[in-house]
């Protein structure tokens, strides 16, 4: 048996970030930039008001207060999107809205709340206003370039694009950006017992759930699933399906079932005829049997042969396929976020393998608690569906006691 680390390290040597493609800005979400993003402008582009209020010259109102208000002549108004016609001169002011360019001459904005307009109800359209608070020069003004300077490198190549980056790049006019291409991932279920989702479950048959859970996991990781359906346990059918996948120009080939000891050797024989594939016993539970190698198509395509049991397939995907997909997307961090939680109920591990326990994490008393989802058999698919975290019990730990604080890998972006 080999360790999870050894297996993963070997798998990952076969994957590299895919070539760049230029995509509409929104399509870059959660992907990795292959170019530096340089600003050709200041953001904001001009000095503007951060408040609804009055644009003033600070020297005029420095000593204003409730007791000693300063009266200014209102010479105009400017809304966001417009330019004030006349400059502000000593003793005068222009009514200004948030986002409107600061009029020439003005250096400060007094918010309505600190003027007679804000202190009286319904007071508008007057010729004069009283300033009732002395503020500092530059207050309530957003300076040109205070967020981004012209020629600044805003994001370097390798940055993961999130909502915030999308907003910044939109403000810079980047309608298209370059990111690593998404990997195409072939998904093939194997087994004579399998029927498709819309077929009747006749005696001895079960539905192909792996095809769906794996495709969902590919999507979630940022890949493009290429669903090949079911290959029967015979050389002809399996070989044909593998060629079909290779013809679909995939970057990773995922099969499920047929890699454990008790199987018909057909899957192993075919994989070996179509490439170089090795069969491993990985020191993890579930997911001990695993195949890995390369298929010979127009190009060499790495293949991950997951176990057939639905839970084993999903967890093996998470451990091996997910990092491989992320690496092809240009990501360098593969670890899931973790929380520390107090374990409810003992968790045993007599397998001497790394045991991946499906748990529910909940908030409790300002912290978190975690409990097993119950039966952890590799066929109990609801044990994953009901879980929001994985508790990793190391191979040399046989018991984790209730009350211990454990680290849990979180599966979703929210609790
Ligand atoms: P195997 O790896 O072929 O020994 O299969 C292990 C178990 O997983 C068996 O009970 C299979 O029926 C089941 N199985 C295999 N493929 C799938 C699949 N695509 N969807 C659901 N269960 C499967
Ligand atoms: Mg089988």
């Amino acid at each position: 048996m080999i360790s999870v680390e050894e297996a993963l390290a070997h798998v990952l040597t076969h994957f590299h970030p895919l070539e760049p493609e230029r995509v509409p800005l929104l399509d870059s979400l959660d992907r990795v930039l292959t170019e530096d993003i340089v600003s050709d402008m200041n953001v904001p582009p001009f000095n503007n008001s951060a408040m609804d209020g009055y644009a003033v010259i600070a020297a005029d109102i420095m000593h204003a207060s409730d007791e000693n208000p300063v009266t200014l002549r209102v010479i105009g108004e400017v809304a966001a999107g417009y330019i004030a016609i006349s400059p502000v001169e000593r003793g005068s002011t222009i009514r200004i809205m948030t986002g409107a360019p600061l009029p020439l001459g003005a250096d400060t904005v007094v918010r309505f709340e600190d003027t007679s307009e804000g202190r009286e109800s319904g007071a508008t359209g007057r010729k004069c206003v009283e300033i009732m608070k002395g503020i500092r020069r530059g207050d309530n003004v957003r300076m040109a370039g205070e967020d981004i300077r012209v020629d600044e490198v805003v994001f370097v190549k390798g940055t993961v694009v999130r909502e915030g980056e999308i907003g910044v790049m939109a403000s810079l006019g980047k309608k298209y950006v370059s990111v690593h291409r998404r990997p195409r991932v072939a998904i093939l279920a194997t087994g004579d017992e399998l029927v498709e989702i819309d077929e009747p479950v006749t005696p001895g048959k079960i539905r192909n759930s792996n095809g769906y859970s794996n495709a969902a996991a590919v999507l979630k990781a940022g890949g493009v699933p290429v669903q090949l359906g079911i290959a029967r346990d015979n050389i002809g059918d399996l070989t044909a399906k593998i060629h079909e996948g290779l013809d679909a120009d995939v970057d990773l080939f995922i099969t499920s079932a047929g890699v454990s000891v008790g199987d018909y050797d057909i899957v192993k024989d075919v994989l070996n005829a179509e490439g170089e594939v090795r069969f491993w016993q990985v020191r993890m539970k579930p997911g001990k049997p695993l195949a890995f190698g390369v298929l010979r198509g127009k190009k060499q395509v790495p293949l991950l042969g997951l176990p057939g049991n639905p839970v084993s397939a999903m967890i093996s995907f998470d451990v091996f396929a997910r990092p491989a997909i992320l690496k092809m997307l240009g990501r360098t961090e593969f670890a899931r976020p973790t929380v520390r939680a107090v374990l409810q109920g003992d968790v045993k591990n007599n397998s001497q393998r790394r045991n991946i326990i499906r748990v529910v994490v909940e908030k409790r008393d300002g912290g978190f608690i975690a409990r097993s989802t119950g039966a952890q058999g590799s066929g109990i698919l609801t044990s994953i569906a009901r879980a929001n975290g994985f508790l990793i019990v190391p191979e040399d730990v046989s018991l984790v006691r209730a009350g211990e604080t454990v680290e849990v890998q979180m599966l979703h972006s929210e609790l």
Side-chain angles (χ1 to χ4, degrees):
M1 271 202 256
I2 60 172
S3 72
V4 174
E5 278 71 26
E6 278 174 274
L8 180 59
H10 181 81
V11 165
L12 287 180
T13 59
H14 286 77
F15 295 92
H16 304 285
L18 298 175
E19 65 279 7
E21 65 176 358
R22 212 161 168 72
V23 300
L25 179 59
L26 207 46
D27 290 352
S28 71
L29 183 63
D30 289 335
R31 296 168 71 178
V32 176
L33 292 173
T34 55
E35 57 176 350
D36 289 348
I37 299 296
V38 181
S39 179
D40 63 358
M41 62 184 285
N42 282 321
V43 178
F46 46 85
N47 298 347
N48 68 94
S49 180
M51 291 283 176
D52 294 332
Y54 284 89
V56 301
I57 297 167
D60 274 347
I61 57 97
M62 251 157 47
H63 303 296
S65 67
D66 280 320
E67 295 73 36
N68 291 307
V70 172
T71 303
L72 297 176
R73 205 156 37 84
V74 182
I75 59 166
E77 187 175 87
V78 60
Y82 298 90
I83 306 284
I85 309 160
S86 35
V88 170
E89 288 162 356
R90 293 297 299 257
S92 76
T93 181
I94 289 179
R95 207 165 171 267
I96 190 167
M97 303 305 138
T98 305
L102 198 66
L104 277 175
D107 54 21
T108 304
V109 172
V110 183
R111 44 184 207 141
F112 286 150
E113 293 89 325
D114 296 327
T115 71
S116 52
E117 175 169 344
R119 304 279 171 99
E120 298 156 16
S121 52
T124 50
R126 60 166 62 74
K127 290 271 185 291
C128 287
V129 68
E130 287 179 323
I131 307 296
M132 330 208 45
K133 192 175 174 189
I135 58 175
R136 286 189 316 265
R137 183 161 184 251
D139 276 359
N140 301 321
V141 173
R142 304 190 282 221
M143 300 303 288
E146 74 174 25
D147 188 2
I148 299 165
R149 311 291 304 189
V150 62
D151 291 336
E152 181 180 332
V153 177
V154 189
F155 304 125
V156 295
K157 178 177 164 177
T159 299
V160 182
V161 177
R162 317 279 189 189
E163 299 88 312
E165 283 79 4
I166 296 267
V168 169
M169 291 190 284
S171 68
L172 297 178
K174 307 287 179 191
K175 191 171 182 187
Y176 298 92
V177 293
S178 287
V179 291
H180 292 287
R181 176 171 73 75
R182 291 186 189 281
R184 292 169 55 78
V185 182
I187 295 165
L188 179 61
T190 70
D192 283 349
E193 75 276 36
L194 302 176
V195 299
E196 280 301 359
I197 193 163
D198 53 355
E199 288 174 351
V201 181
T202 50
K205 308 291 182 184
I206 58 168
R207 291 211 175 89
N208 168 22
S209 64
N210 289 347
Y212 280 85
S213 53
N214 286 334
V218 167
L219 278 175
K220 202 164 176 184
V224 178
V226 178
Q227 276 172 293
L228 300 173
I230 301 163
R232 299 301 165 201
D233 287 321
N234 65 71
I235 293 174
D237 199 30
L238 198 49
T239 305
K241 287 285 191 188
I242 286 179
H243 289 168
E244 191 187 317
L246 292 174
D247 287 345
D249 220 1
V250 295
D251 305 289
L252 166 61
F253 208 116
I254 289 180
T255 63
S256 68
V259 294
S260 54
V261 187
D263 276 294
Y264 290 87
D265 278 329
I266 231 99
V267 176
K268 297 178 180 177
D269 289 346
V270 172
L271 293 183
N272 262 325
E274 297 301 319
E276 303 280 329
V277 180
R278 284 166 32 195
F279 296 86
W280 292 337
Q281 301 289 310
V282 184
R283 209 173 292 126
M284 63 186 266
K285 180 188 174 178
K288 180 169 71 167
L290 185 81
F292 182 69
V294 284
L295 297 173
R296 280 185 300 271
K298 280 169 287 178
K299 57 179 182 186
Q300 300 235 314
V301 178
L303 170 126
L304 261 170
L306 308 178
N309 276 307
V311 175
S312 312
M314 285 187 76
I315 287 182
S316 301
F317 184 105
D318 196 71
V319 172
F320 299 107
R322 181 178 163 277
I325 291 170
L326 292 177
K327 189 169 177 189
M328 285 189 277
L329 282 164
R331 299 284 192 89
T332 51
E333 295 293 337
F334 312 134
R336 291 186 177 282
T338 60
V339 300
R340 294 177 67 73
V342 178
L343 186 64
Q344 314 281 293
D346 290 352
V347 168
K348 293 198 185 71
N349 177 28
N350 298 322
S351 64
Q352 287 169 328
R353 289 182 271 151
R354 181 166 312 177
N355 201 336
I356 297 145
I357 307 288
R358 281 75 75 200
V359 298
V360 183
V361 174
E362 279 169 14
K363 288 202 181 99
R364 173 82 56 87
D365 304 331
F368 296 102
I369 56 165
R371 65 186 151 74
S372 159
T373 51
Q376 296 282 310
S378 57
I380 311 286
L381 198 44
T382 54
S383 73
I384 286 202
R386 295 191 211 291
N388 61 357
F390 288 157
L391 166 60
I392 314 298
V393 183
E395 28 286 70
D396 58 355
V397 172
S398 57
L399 173 68
V400 189
R401 284 208 173 75
E404 280 184 37
T405 296
V406 293
E407 197 170 84
V408 179
Q409 294 184 7
M410 299 307 291
L411 301 183
H412 312 304
S413 61
E414 68 292 308
L415 200 59

